[in-house]
Amino acid sequence: MNDIDFAKFCFENKHYEKAKEIFLDNNMLYEAGFSALLSGNIKSAKLIWNEIKDPCSAAGWGLIILDIIEGKQYTKKPKYFQTRAFLEVYLNLFLENGLYNWADNIINAYKFFTEANGEAPKFIARVLSSKGYFKLVHEFAKIAKKVCYYDPEIHYIEAETYLLEGEYKMAYDAVCETLKMAPKYFPALKLKEMIKNSGYQV
């Protein structure tokens, strides 16, 4: 196993300080800064990312997130693809690592992210669903549907959430709404069949 593979192994197993050291030794500054951030060290992440002379898209996103989690005025807006690529990743990892205040700051900044990418509320809902924050999922699904009702994914996310809550009728209605918009969407077809097989009377 080479250094980079070992750094990735450390990162995936939440040994963030060790991952940071190896990434720094290999001049992988974005990865080193992200590792520092997930270890809870904002100062270290900021120092590392500010060393990047020509920030890549990922590092640019990281610097935006630092402002958000520190409660600073948003000075630079993320781009459409930055939001698509990184919003779920950061929110998921913050929740996974118990960085709840930072996760709250991201969630509370949803309007800011939605200006860059209209799918932002859906991205947030998907992460919240995977972590079991069902009440918040429905709140963000409602917001997402106001932005774009005809996005089948948000109806599917809500269908999954209703099913986990044991709300079979609402899950069935939501999955049927998904299939109106995307009749061949396989996960929705599978979920609809699962609901039927659970004994729910259509």
Side-chain angles (χ1 to χ4, degrees):
M1 183 182 292
N2 63 34
D3 277 0
I4 305 304
D5 287 339
F6 185 51
K8 291 176 181 177
F9 174 82
C10 291
F11 184 94
E12 289 165 3
N13 287 278
K14 301 186 180 182
H15 299 294
Y16 296 120
E17 281 297 325
K18 184 63 178 175
K20 180 187 81 171
E21 291 173 16
I22 302 170
F23 285 133
L24 279 175
D25 288 343
N26 287 273
N27 202 35
M28 298 176 68
L29 297 183
Y30 168 69
E31 292 79 3
F34 195 21
S35 300
L37 187 62
L38 292 176
S39 73
N41 194 333
I42 296 177
K43 185 177 180 180
S44 178
K46 190 181 298 184
L47 285 171
I48 293 168
W49 281 339
N50 281 328
E51 284 295 311
I52 302 175
K53 293 179 182 177
D54 186 17
C56 62
S57 179
W61 170 268
L63 291 168
I64 291 167
I65 291 297
L66 286 178
D67 283 348
I68 287 172
I69 64 180
E70 289 187 299
K72 292 182 178 178
Q73 186 68 34
Y74 310 147
T75 56
K76 187 177 179 183
K77 290 184 179 180
K79 295 179 180 177
Y80 176 89
F81 286 108
Q82 280 179 310
T83 306
R84 186 174 184 84
F86 301 114
L87 179 58
E88 287 182 81
V89 173
Y90 273 65
L91 181 55
N92 182 67
L93 284 172
F94 284 173
L95 289 170
E96 202 171 279
N97 286 283
L99 301 167
Y100 300 117
N101 288 339
W102 297 359
D104 280 346
N105 286 356
I106 286 180
I107 292 167
N108 291 334
Y110 78 89
K111 289 182 181 178
F112 171 70
F113 293 119
T114 304
E115 288 174 7
N117 186 320
E119 292 181 285
K122 177 181 73 178
F123 300 151
I124 292 171
R126 183 156 45 211
V127 174
L128 293 171
S129 181
S130 73
K131 300 300 181 188
Y133 296 100
F134 299 143
K135 184 179 178 182
L136 280 173
V137 173
H138 298 306
E139 287 181 26
F140 275 91
K142 186 176 180 180
I143 294 166
K145 284 185 279 189
K146 283 183 179 178
V147 175
C148 181
Y149 186 85
Y150 295 100
D151 181 345
E153 282 187 300
I154 191 57
H155 296 279
Y156 177 74
I157 291 166
E158 202 163 31
E160 282 188 313
T161 304
Y162 281 132
L163 188 58
L164 289 168
E165 292 175 298
E167 299 285 355
Y168 295 102
K169 183 183 186 308
M170 297 176 89
Y172 186 80
D173 290 347
V175 81
C176 287
E177 199 68 14
T178 306
L179 290 168
K180 282 181 190 176
M181 301 162 199
K184 296 182 180 180
Y185 186 38
F186 179 74
L189 290 168
K190 188 176 178 181
L191 188 62
K192 184 179 180 182
E193 194 63 27
M194 187 189 303
I195 295 168
K196 285 183 178 179
N197 291 340
S198 71
Y200 169 71
Q201 299 297 313
V202 179

